[in-house]
Amino acid sequence: MPVITELRFSPTSFEMGRVLSAGDGGRMELERLVPLGTAMVPFVWVDGPGDRSFEAAVRKHRSVEDFQRRQQLDGLTLYELTWATDGDALFKALTEVGASLLRGVGGEDGWQFEIRFPDRESLATFQHQLTDAGIRFEIETIYDAASVSGGDGSGVTGPQREALVLAAERGYFDVPRRISTKELGEELGISDQAVTERLRRGISALVAETVQSGPANGSED
């Protein structure tokens, strides 16, 4: 059965992280990865309207073949990065075990990846390959891909549901808030950034399955 895991990496533990850490680009989020021959070309959203010094620093990195600004929207800038992936053990391992990178968010404090593996055996192989390559990582959660639907059509995953319920019980949604994401993370055994991401994605899933798919304006209450 396919499994999904959330892992954290330091920004300098894998080649793409080192490339994007060449300049202080702030928070980044992978939009998608596009296969191009034997390479993987990521499209990355970066906080801010575009920083020339950041762009120049990334282009100077020894692994970078091209780094182009593609779009600007709501204070974010979309870049296309072409880099030599042959030295990136992380992406090599992902390819070899047939895993799919669902999401990646990062910055100078580290990167969090959400990855789908064909089964738990491929996940174990992936872990061994990273360890052999000297890449340090932290597994924040593992769950069966079948749990993504939440079993009730909400679209909320098990880990997201756990974070949402705990946040509600502890007063995170109260005004004023009675607990921080750091404190929630300590209870869940994950980082405060991971808590923030789970809450955001969980709320997004709930909105998509309830508010956005609910009755149109003008319908009876």
Side-chain angles (χ1 to χ4, degrees), residues 146-164:
S147 70
V148 169
S149 66
D152 58 3
S154 68
V156 178
T157 68
Q160 291 166 11
R161 181 186 305 281
E162 180 185 26
L164 286 167

Side-chain angles (χ1 to χ4, degrees), residues 30-199:
L30 293 180
E31 180 180 73
R32 62 188 183 277
L33 284 170
V34 178
L36 186 62
T38 59
M40 296 295 290
V41 179
F43 286 79
V44 186
W45 285 103
V46 178
D47 272 351
D51 186 299
R52 296 295 182 184
S53 61
F54 165 69
E55 295 171 4
V58 172
R59 290 192 184 102
K60 287 180 180 178
H61 194 280
R62 55 183 171 78
S63 298
V64 174
E65 299 173 6
D66 196 18
F67 187 60
Q68 295 294 329
R69 189 187 303 186
R70 293 305 184 194
Q71 184 179 354
Q72 290 181 295
L73 179 68
D74 296 332
L76 300 172
T77 303
L78 179 66
Y79 290 96
E80 178 183 346
L81 170 66
T82 306
W83 96 108
T85 58
D86 53 352
D88 197 321
L90 170 59
F91 284 87
K92 180 181 179 182
L94 283 172
T95 301
E96 289 183 353
V97 301
S100 300
L101 180 57
L102 303 179
R103 194 163 182 271
V105 179
E108 62 180 11
D109 293 332
W111 279 81
Q112 181 187 45
F113 288 144
E114 184 176 16
I115 304 171
R116 183 195 302 272
F117 293 89
D119 47 45
R120 290 183 179 266
E121 288 74 18
S122 59
L123 169 58
T125 300
F126 175 78
Q127 292 177 252
H128 289 312
Q129 290 179 338
L130 293 191
T131 300
D132 291 344
I135 296 179
R136 299 180 63 182
F137 59 94
E138 176 185 350
I139 294 181
E140 297 198 321
T141 186
I142 301 174
Y143 53 94
D144 293 335
S147 70
V148 169
S149 66
D152 58 3
S154 68
V156 178
T157 68
Q160 291 166 11
R161 181 186 305 281
E162 180 185 26
L164 286 167
V165 171
L166 183 63
E169 291 176 346
R170 298 291 189 270
Y172 177 78
F173 299 113
D174 292 355
V175 180
R177 285 178 176 165
R178 294 190 286 111
I179 192 170
S180 66
T181 53
K182 181 178 180 180
E183 292 169 319
L184 286 172
E186 289 173 353
E187 290 198 45
L188 292 168
I190 59 177
S191 68
D192 59 336
Q193 181 180 350
V195 172
T196 300
E197 293 298 332
R198 287 187 192 180
L199 292 176

